[in-house]
Amino acid sequence: MRQPLVAGNWKMNGSLASVRELLAGLKAGIDDVKVAEVAVCPPAVFIPEVQAQLEGTPIAWGGQDLSVHESGAYTGEIAGPMLTDFGCKYVIIGHSERRTYHGETDQLVAEKFTAARKAGLVPLFCIGETQEERESGITEEVVARQIDAVIEHCGVDMLGEGVIAYEPVWAIGTGLTATPEQAQEVHAFIRQRIAQSNAEVAEGLRILYGGSMKPGNAAELLANPDIDGGLIGGASLKAEDFLGICTAAND
Ligand code: PGA
């Protein structure tokens, strides 16, 4: 049985005051979350505060990115061991915003996957097609390429130590959500693709959906057999909305 995971991607949002308020709200409501594992990924500077507030609660935390290097002259970068030093369990890698605005390639993302595992972090590995790619009918080709890059670089066993987040780029922050049928279809394809390398890994791997997931559409998405949780952007910034998605996995 795959335990659902609902992870919040706060992106570049928040202040110390708003982070404290959000964490207080999450702690107050977390007991209502019966089934899902819950995690938050704040901007790096807030990680010590998140650790201080969440240590000893069931809520895990993680980074939004990491360097492929372990230390050294890489101004502005954050290394995996630094994240683990502050109690991070997860790290998001390959988010479409990093692929688009920071030129991250499939190869670099695969190297980040290895760097994360080397540091003992669980990668939340993001994949997904753009609107143009979907309209051209190459969604499966794109996600297969993104997955294959990690399998080739890290091996399928290491892929199985992470979590996949399928995030159609056209659904991120746009209010457009993939229909449960559209999402399930791609999730099933992803699992089947991985099964070609290792059926056991494919069966155990959690595949999250991301892209305008909200309390109002979470239950119907999570009801699908291959959707094992969500990676939540906008709706993770409000405790009530985020907890609403987390509790949608209760049934
Ligand atoms: P969204 O973002 O929920 O705001 O669409 C999801 C993500 O980018 O992880």
Side-chain angles (χ1 to χ4, degrees):
M1 245 332 249
R2 300 183 294 265
Q3 184 190 14
L5 169 64
V6 180
N9 173 11
W10 294 358
K11 308 193 180 184
M12 196 177 72
N13 292 295
S15 62
L16 190 51
S18 74
V19 163
R20 285 186 175 145
E21 195 186 321
L22 177 52
L23 292 170
L26 295 180
K27 285 198 283 185
I30 193 65
D31 286 349
D32 295 333
V33 180
K34 306 293 183 205
V35 174
E37 182 189 352
V38 178
V40 293
C41 297
V45 289
F46 298 131
I47 291 175
E49 178 66 19
V50 167
Q51 179 181 31
Q53 301 281 341
L54 296 185
E55 199 117 67
T57 75
I59 308 173
W61 58 95
Q64 295 180 6
D65 180 37
L66 87 169
S67 170
V68 292
H69 305 287
E70 275 180 53
S71 67
Y74 302 101
T75 302
E77 296 272 86
I78 292 173
M82 296 174 182
L83 296 174
T84 37
D85 215 5
F86 285 86
C88 288
K89 176 174 181 185
Y90 292 102
V91 63
I92 297 170
I93 60 164
H95 191 279
S96 71
E97 286 149 18
R98 295 214 56 92
R99 292 180 191 261
T100 305
Y101 307 138
H102 301 271
E104 293 200 5
T105 60
D106 291 339
Q107 176 63 24
L108 183 77
V109 174
E111 287 171 22
K112 288 190 172 190
F113 200 111
T114 309
R117 287 307 303 140
K118 212 167 160 198
L121 295 158
V122 177
L124 297 174
F125 167 43
C126 302
I127 57 176
E129 82 288 1
T130 62
Q131 178 144 28
E132 204 184 341
E133 288 163 339
R134 176 161 282 262
E135 282 164 6
S136 316
I138 57 168
T139 297
E140 294 187 349
E141 202 176 300
V142 170
V143 298
R145 191 199 71 220
Q146 292 168 329
I147 293 166
D148 290 354
V150 169
I151 295 181
E152 274 158 34
H153 183 78
C154 311
V156 70
D157 288 337
M158 192 188 280
L159 176 68
E161 294 165 359
V163 174
I164 289 183
Y166 167 61
E167 303 204 303
V169 179
W170 48 271
I172 296 178
T174 56
L176 293 172
T177 319
T179 63
E181 296 74 27
Q182 279 174 323
Q184 166 58 28
E185 197 183 349
V186 182
H187 281 232
F189 171 78
I190 293 166
R191 203 177 300 287
Q192 177 207 321
R193 180 83 187 183
I194 297 164
Q196 286 171 9
S197 297
N198 185 319
E200 204 180 318
V201 165
E203 185 54 33
L205 192 64
R206 292 186 288 186
I207 306 175
L208 316 184
Y209 170 79
S212 300
M213 199 158 160
K214 303 178 192 69
N217 60 23
E220 55 177 12
L221 284 158
L222 295 172
N224 288 278
D226 289 297
I227 302 183
D228 307 312
L231 182 57
I232 321 300
S236 72
L237 298 170
K238 269 198 187 159
E240 196 188 336
D241 289 351
F242 187 58
L243 289 166
I245 297 170
C246 298
T247 51
N250 283 354
D251 323 307

